[in-house]
Each structure stands twice: as C-alpha cells, then as structure tokens.
Amino acid sequence: MKDILLLETVDSTNRVARDLGTAGKPHGYAVVAGSQLHGRGRLGKAWQSPPGKGLYATILLRPCLEVKEYSKITLTAGLALSQVLEEVCQLDVALKWPNDIYISGRKCGGILVETSSLQGEADGHFALVGIGVNVNTEKEAFLPDLRKSATSLFLESGKEYEILSLFEAIRSRLLQLIFQLAHEGFTDILNKWRERDMLQGKWTQWLTPTGEVIYGESLGVDNNGILSVRDRSGKIHEVLSGDVSLTPQLGGREII
Ligand code: BTN
C-alpha cells in the first residue's frame, strides 16, 4: 500500500499526521493505527479506540482550495465515509451535523478535521481528516455508558470487515470528492450530504460553545455548510460549532 504509515499503537493518528504534514508528506498520505491511547473526538471528547476492532486513521490533505473553503472539507469527508459504508456494508447511513455517522439511530463513526496554521504561503497549508469507525466491535466492547448510543458495522450487518480494505475505499473516495470540491464546487456534494441529514426538520437541542442550551427545529445546512436552528420564538440561530442532537426521549419531535 502506497503513502501509508501503519502503526500498532499511537496516542492519536491526528497528532502523528500533523507532525508528518509539517515535515512535508504529500496530499493523500495516511496514518492508520491498530489502537489509540488518546483518540480525540470533537469538542475535547475522547474517542474510544480498542485494539483490532475499529478503524482509526488520519488522511493528510493539501487541497487546491482557498482558506475560506477549508470548512467545506468537513461535510465532504462525512459524505465520502457515508457513501463507502453504504456501498460496502449495504446499510442506510445518516449524517449528523457536522459529521457524525449514524446507523439505525446509533453512532457508528465520527470525523475530526483539523488544519495546519492557514497563515502564510498556501503551499504549506494542510488539513487532517481524522476518521474513527466502529467496525468489528461487539456490544460488550463498548464502555457501559456508550452501549445504548453506539453501534458498529458488525452489530448492524452481522458481518466482519477487513479494516485496511475499508480504509483504502474511504481514502480513495475522499480524494475523489476533494478533487470534485476543488474543481466543480460544493453544490453536488452538499445535495448528497443533505439527503443523509438526520436532523433536517427535527427538533433538536444545541449546546452552544458557551454552555447555553437552545431548543429548536433544524432547518438544515446552507450553501456553505452552516447549520441553522429556529427556536420557538422564531429566532434563527446559525450553528457554527458546539453539539447538536435530537431532543432526548422525544426522538426529534417537538417539545410540548
Ligand atoms: C467525533 O465523533 O467526535 C470525531 C471522532 C474522530 C476519531 C478519529 S479516530 C482517528 C483520528 N485520530 C483521533 O485522535 N481522532 C480521529
């Protein structure tokens, strides 16, 4: 396999890939680990990374994109991952903004996109697409507090998957979609992302970065991939970060 660093155990593949990006590794270079000691999720959360059960990988991108377009990489990566899982596993995959992968209402994977400093010469810029997928994980392998909310490809399809082949399919689709983003724009990618949007039209709760909770209906993503939520007073909030989820217990139905 070309342009890939395979490691048994790392702290975080995103950390290793950042060092390699700074050292000049090319577009498409990847770091894949058998397990992570400090796998990182969004918003400072940990990503449980038990040995041999999941895909833990980071793909380095040096896309032909202006800095203001870099935010589009996040949804593009979510679409790439969902398409491959649908094709390989024959499962219906939903996306939760910005890029959680859900199957049958449970989280099966997530993406953590980070960038180098985007100051200075454009040819030094890079993005890191960190991908975590619960592949062959059995129920008991999840920590008890995750057992209800998490799932794996194995639990959903009853089949085990070869992790590196799955990874190669994901890398190849991601590079294809990043090329499309740079040369044809975001419209087609966004439309396909919207078809899988599990929050669209649902009642959600948004935990803002300042710790406030806002309840409202998800209006979906705009042409730049920014999510909007309309609260009960009719005010529309642009969601740039934080955590959005379906209203608990109500499965996304309106709060009475
Ligand atoms: C999330 O859902 O919050 C994103 C999870 C991303 C986890 C992956 S596993 C490989 C890569 N390395 C990390 O430390 N995190 C990402």
Side-chain angles (χ1 to χ4, degrees):
M1 242 177 250
K2 196 174 159 282
D3 278 347
I4 193 165
L5 176 63
L6 296 172
L7 298 166
E8 204 169 304
T9 306
V10 280
D11 50 353
S12 155
T13 56
N14 270 36
R15 200 276 304 157
V16 176
R18 178 177 295 279
D19 290 352
L20 295 173
T22 308
K25 287 290 184 203
H27 179 69
Y29 192 87
V31 179
V32 181
S35 70
Q36 299 184 116
L37 299 172
H38 300 288
R40 306 198 301 250
R42 281 185 70 240
L43 309 171
K45 293 182 193 162
W47 185 261
Q48 211 192 316
S49 313
K53 298 291 175 191
L55 167 63
Y56 319 114
T58 302
I59 301 167
L60 174 72
L61 299 178
R62 299 184 185 276
C64 301
L65 289 173
E66 292 190 33
V67 167
K68 63 178 171 35
E69 310 287 318
Y70 262 61
S71 59
K72 297 175 180 167
I73 294 173
T74 300
L75 300 196
T76 305
L79 177 65
L81 182 50
S82 64
Q83 286 183 333
V84 171
L85 298 185
E86 284 164 3
E87 288 164 18
V88 173
C89 312
Q90 304 288 304
L91 292 166
D92 284 339
V93 178
L95 289 162
K96 182 169 87 62
W97 186 92
N99 46 21
D100 288 347
I101 301 288
Y102 272 72
I103 302 178
S104 306
R106 294 191 160 96
K107 184 160 169 172
C108 188
I111 296 171
L112 178 67
V113 177
E114 298 175 327
T115 64
S116 62
S117 157
L118 297 177
Q119 315 275 314
E121 296 295 311
D123 59 5
H125 298 168
F126 60 81
L128 302 167
V129 178
I131 298 170
V133 183
N134 304 325
V135 180
N136 297 323
T137 328
E138 283 145 18
K139 198 143 206 99
E140 305 70 47
F142 288 115
L143 291 175
D145 59 334
L146 285 181
R147 277 181 203 157
K148 275 206 177 113
S149 59
T151 191
S152 69
L153 300 178
F154 169 72
L155 291 172
E156 295 302 323
S157 68
K159 293 184 199 142
E160 294 206 6
Y161 296 89
E162 216 277 297
I163 293 176
L164 273 185
S165 319
L166 194 62
F167 168 73
E168 271 305 7
I170 294 165
R171 171 162 70 171
S172 146
R173 183 63 54 90
L174 176 65
L175 295 179
Q176 216 177 304
L177 290 186
I178 290 293
F179 184 88
Q180 182 183 334
L181 173 65
H183 296 90
E184 292 164 34
F186 198 32
T187 312
D188 178 59
I189 292 169
L190 200 50
N191 286 339
K192 293 193 167 113
W193 195 95
R194 286 180 175 131
E195 288 168 12
R196 295 162 174 82
D197 180 358
M198 67 177 250
L199 298 179
Q200 169 78 50
K202 297 273 173 29
W203 277 77
T204 56
Q205 61 176 37
W206 170 34
L207 178 62
T208 71
T210 58
E212 197 187 348
V213 179
I214 290 174
Y215 293 95
E217 182 189 357
S218 169
L219 302 178
V221 293
D222 71 9
N223 290 344
N224 291 310
I226 296 168
L227 181 72
S228 291
V229 168
R230 181 169 50 214
D231 69 21
R232 296 190 82 184
S233 75
K235 185 172 170 200
I236 295 180
H237 304 259
E238 272 197 345
V239 180
L240 297 168
S241 70
D243 203 21
V244 186
S245 50
L246 294 175
T247 47
Q249 279 95 47
L250 295 171
R253 292 193 305 277
E254 185 173 5
I255 303 160
I256 315 292

